[in-house]
Short mmCIF file of all heavy atoms in Angstrom, two decimals:
data_model
loop_
_atom_site.label_atom_id
_atom_site.label_comp_id
_atom_site.label_asym_id
_atom_site.label_seq_id
_atom_site.Cartn_x
_atom_site.Cartn_y
_atom_site.Cartn_z
N LYS A 1464 -26.26 -8.07 69.30
CA LYS A 1464 -26.61 -7.72 67.93
C LYS A 1464 -28.09 -7.40 67.84
O LYS A 1464 -28.88 -7.67 68.74
CB LYS A 1464 -26.27 -8.87 66.98
CG LYS A 1464 -24.80 -9.26 66.94
CD LYS A 1464 -24.55 -10.36 65.93
CE LYS A 1464 -23.09 -10.78 65.92
NZ LYS A 1464 -22.83 -11.82 64.89
N MET A 1465 -28.47 -6.82 66.71
CA MET A 1465 -29.86 -6.51 66.45
C MET A 1465 -30.66 -7.79 66.29
O MET A 1465 -30.15 -8.81 65.81
CB MET A 1465 -29.97 -5.66 65.18
CG MET A 1465 -31.33 -5.07 64.91
SD MET A 1465 -31.32 -3.96 63.49
CE MET A 1465 -30.46 -2.54 64.14
N THR A 1466 -31.92 -7.77 66.70
CA THR A 1466 -32.79 -8.92 66.49
C THR A 1466 -33.33 -8.91 65.06
O THR A 1466 -33.31 -7.86 64.39
CB THR A 1466 -33.98 -8.89 67.46
OG1 THR A 1466 -34.79 -7.73 67.17
CG2 THR A 1466 -33.51 -8.86 68.90
N PRO A 1467 -33.82 -10.04 64.55
CA PRO A 1467 -34.40 -10.05 63.19
C PRO A 1467 -35.54 -9.05 63.03
O PRO A 1467 -35.66 -8.40 61.99
CB PRO A 1467 -34.89 -11.49 63.04
CG PRO A 1467 -34.07 -12.28 64.00
CD PRO A 1467 -33.81 -11.38 65.16
N GLY A 1468 -36.40 -8.93 64.05
CA GLY A 1468 -37.49 -7.97 63.96
C GLY A 1468 -36.99 -6.54 63.87
O GLY A 1468 -37.49 -5.74 63.07
N GLY A 1469 -36.00 -6.21 64.69
CA GLY A 1469 -35.42 -4.87 64.63
C GLY A 1469 -34.79 -4.60 63.28
O GLY A 1469 -34.87 -3.47 62.76
N HIS A 1470 -34.17 -5.61 62.70
CA HIS A 1470 -33.55 -5.46 61.37
C HIS A 1470 -34.62 -5.12 60.32
O HIS A 1470 -34.43 -4.22 59.50
CB HIS A 1470 -32.83 -6.75 61.01
CG HIS A 1470 -31.94 -6.63 59.81
ND1 HIS A 1470 -30.90 -7.51 59.56
CD2 HIS A 1470 -31.93 -5.75 58.76
CE1 HIS A 1470 -30.30 -7.17 58.44
NE2 HIS A 1470 -30.91 -6.12 57.92
N TRP A 1471 -35.75 -5.81 60.38
CA TRP A 1471 -36.78 -5.56 59.36
C TRP A 1471 -37.50 -4.23 59.58
O TRP A 1471 -37.93 -3.59 58.62
CB TRP A 1471 -37.75 -6.74 59.28
CG TRP A 1471 -37.19 -7.73 58.29
CD1 TRP A 1471 -36.34 -8.75 58.56
CD2 TRP A 1471 -37.35 -7.70 56.87
NE1 TRP A 1471 -35.97 -9.39 57.39
CE2 TRP A 1471 -36.58 -8.76 56.34
CE3 TRP A 1471 -38.08 -6.90 56.00
CZ2 TRP A 1471 -36.52 -9.03 54.98
CZ3 TRP A 1471 -38.02 -7.17 54.63
CH2 TRP A 1471 -37.24 -8.21 54.14
N LEU A 1472 -37.62 -3.78 60.80
CA LEU A 1472 -38.17 -2.44 61.02
C LEU A 1472 -37.19 -1.38 60.52
O LEU A 1472 -37.60 -0.32 60.02
CB LEU A 1472 -38.50 -2.23 62.49
CG LEU A 1472 -39.73 -3.01 62.98
CD1 LEU A 1472 -39.87 -2.89 64.49
CD2 LEU A 1472 -41.01 -2.52 62.29
N ALA A 1473 -35.91 -1.67 60.63
CA ALA A 1473 -34.91 -0.75 60.08
C ALA A 1473 -34.96 -0.73 58.55
O ALA A 1473 -34.77 0.32 57.94
CB ALA A 1473 -33.51 -1.15 60.56
N ILE A 1474 -35.22 -1.88 57.93
CA ILE A 1474 -35.41 -1.91 56.48
C ILE A 1474 -36.64 -1.07 56.12
O ILE A 1474 -36.61 -0.29 55.15
CB ILE A 1474 -35.57 -3.36 55.99
CG1 ILE A 1474 -34.22 -4.08 56.07
CG2 ILE A 1474 -36.12 -3.40 54.57
CD1 ILE A 1474 -34.29 -5.56 55.76
N ALA A 1475 -37.71 -1.23 56.89
CA ALA A 1475 -38.90 -0.41 56.65
C ALA A 1475 -38.56 1.08 56.75
O ALA A 1475 -39.02 1.89 55.94
CB ALA A 1475 -40.00 -0.77 57.66
N GLN A 1476 -37.73 1.43 57.72
CA GLN A 1476 -37.31 2.83 57.86
C GLN A 1476 -36.55 3.30 56.63
O GLN A 1476 -36.79 4.40 56.11
CB GLN A 1476 -36.46 2.99 59.11
CG GLN A 1476 -36.00 4.41 59.36
CD GLN A 1476 -35.24 4.54 60.66
OE1 GLN A 1476 -34.10 5.00 60.68
NE2 GLN A 1476 -35.85 4.14 61.77
N THR A 1477 -35.63 2.48 56.16
CA THR A 1477 -34.83 2.83 54.98
C THR A 1477 -35.72 3.15 53.79
O THR A 1477 -35.54 4.16 53.09
CB THR A 1477 -33.87 1.69 54.63
OG1 THR A 1477 -32.91 1.54 55.68
CG2 THR A 1477 -33.14 1.95 53.32
N VAL A 1478 -36.70 2.29 53.55
CA VAL A 1478 -37.51 2.44 52.34
C VAL A 1478 -38.59 3.51 52.50
O VAL A 1478 -38.90 4.23 51.56
CB VAL A 1478 -38.10 1.09 51.91
CG1 VAL A 1478 -38.91 1.25 50.63
CG2 VAL A 1478 -36.97 0.08 51.69
N THR A 1479 -39.19 3.64 53.68
CA THR A 1479 -40.17 4.71 53.86
C THR A 1479 -39.49 6.07 53.72
O THR A 1479 -40.07 7.02 53.16
CB THR A 1479 -40.86 4.63 55.24
OG1 THR A 1479 -39.87 4.60 56.28
CG2 THR A 1479 -41.74 3.39 55.34
N ARG A 1480 -38.26 6.16 54.17
CA ARG A 1480 -37.49 7.40 54.00
C ARG A 1480 -37.16 7.63 52.53
O ARG A 1480 -37.31 8.73 52.00
CB ARG A 1480 -36.22 7.34 54.83
CG ARG A 1480 -35.32 8.55 54.69
CD ARG A 1480 -34.04 8.34 55.47
NE ARG A 1480 -34.28 8.39 56.90
CZ ARG A 1480 -33.70 7.59 57.78
NH1 ARG A 1480 -32.89 6.62 57.37
NH2 ARG A 1480 -33.94 7.71 59.07
N GLN A 1481 -36.73 6.56 51.88
CA GLN A 1481 -36.37 6.64 50.46
C GLN A 1481 -37.56 7.06 49.60
O GLN A 1481 -37.42 7.85 48.65
CB GLN A 1481 -35.85 5.28 50.01
CG GLN A 1481 -35.54 5.13 48.53
CD GLN A 1481 -35.09 3.71 48.22
OE1 GLN A 1481 -34.11 3.23 48.79
NE2 GLN A 1481 -35.80 3.02 47.35
N ARG A 1482 -38.75 6.55 49.94
CA ARG A 1482 -39.96 6.85 49.16
C ARG A 1482 -40.66 8.13 49.63
O ARG A 1482 -41.71 8.48 49.12
CB ARG A 1482 -40.94 5.67 49.27
CG ARG A 1482 -40.35 4.33 48.88
CD ARG A 1482 -39.99 4.22 47.43
NE ARG A 1482 -41.17 4.18 46.57
CZ ARG A 1482 -41.13 4.04 45.25
NH1 ARG A 1482 -39.95 3.97 44.64
NH2 ARG A 1482 -42.23 4.00 44.55
N LYS A 1483 -40.06 8.78 50.65
CA LYS A 1483 -40.59 10.04 51.17
C LYS A 1483 -42.04 9.90 51.66
O LYS A 1483 -42.90 10.75 51.40
CB LYS A 1483 -40.48 11.16 50.13
CG LYS A 1483 -39.04 11.53 49.79
CD LYS A 1483 -38.98 12.65 48.78
CE LYS A 1483 -37.56 13.20 48.63
NZ LYS A 1483 -36.57 12.17 48.25
N LEU A 1484 -42.32 8.80 52.36
CA LEU A 1484 -43.65 8.62 52.92
C LEU A 1484 -43.84 9.59 54.09
O LEU A 1484 -42.90 9.93 54.79
CB LEU A 1484 -43.84 7.19 53.41
CG LEU A 1484 -43.72 6.08 52.36
CD1 LEU A 1484 -44.19 4.75 52.94
CD2 LEU A 1484 -44.50 6.40 51.10
N ASN A 1485 -45.09 10.03 54.28
CA ASN A 1485 -45.36 10.95 55.38
C ASN A 1485 -45.38 10.19 56.70
O ASN A 1485 -45.25 8.96 56.74
CB ASN A 1485 -46.64 11.75 55.13
CG ASN A 1485 -47.88 10.86 55.08
OD1 ASN A 1485 -47.96 9.83 55.74
ND2 ASN A 1485 -48.86 11.27 54.28
N MET A 1486 -45.58 10.90 57.79
CA MET A 1486 -45.51 10.27 59.10
C MET A 1486 -46.60 9.22 59.28
O MET A 1486 -46.34 8.13 59.82
CB MET A 1486 -45.61 11.32 60.21
CG MET A 1486 -45.45 10.73 61.62
SD MET A 1486 -45.35 12.01 62.88
CE MET A 1486 -45.29 10.99 64.37
N MET A 1487 -47.81 9.51 58.83
CA MET A 1487 -48.89 8.55 59.00
C MET A 1487 -48.60 7.26 58.24
O MET A 1487 -48.78 6.15 58.76
CB MET A 1487 -50.21 9.17 58.52
CG MET A 1487 -51.44 8.37 58.88
SD MET A 1487 -51.91 8.47 60.62
CE MET A 1487 -51.80 6.77 61.12
#
């Protein structure tokens, strides 16, 4: 299974994508 750290980086991915943040 995914580790807790990997899970939270995936959450970060979900929200940065949702908020349309740029690459930087």
Side-chain angles (χ1 to χ4, degrees):
K1464 299 182 182 182
M1465 190 174 287
T1466 64
H1470 191 159
W1471 272 89
L1472 287 173
I1474 288 173
Q1476 181 176 124
T1477 294
V1478 181
T1479 55
R1480 178 184 289 141
Q1481 175 183 302
R1482 305 294 289 182
K1483 295 181 170 57
L1484 299 191
N1485 63 32
M1486 184 173 176
M1487 191 74 241

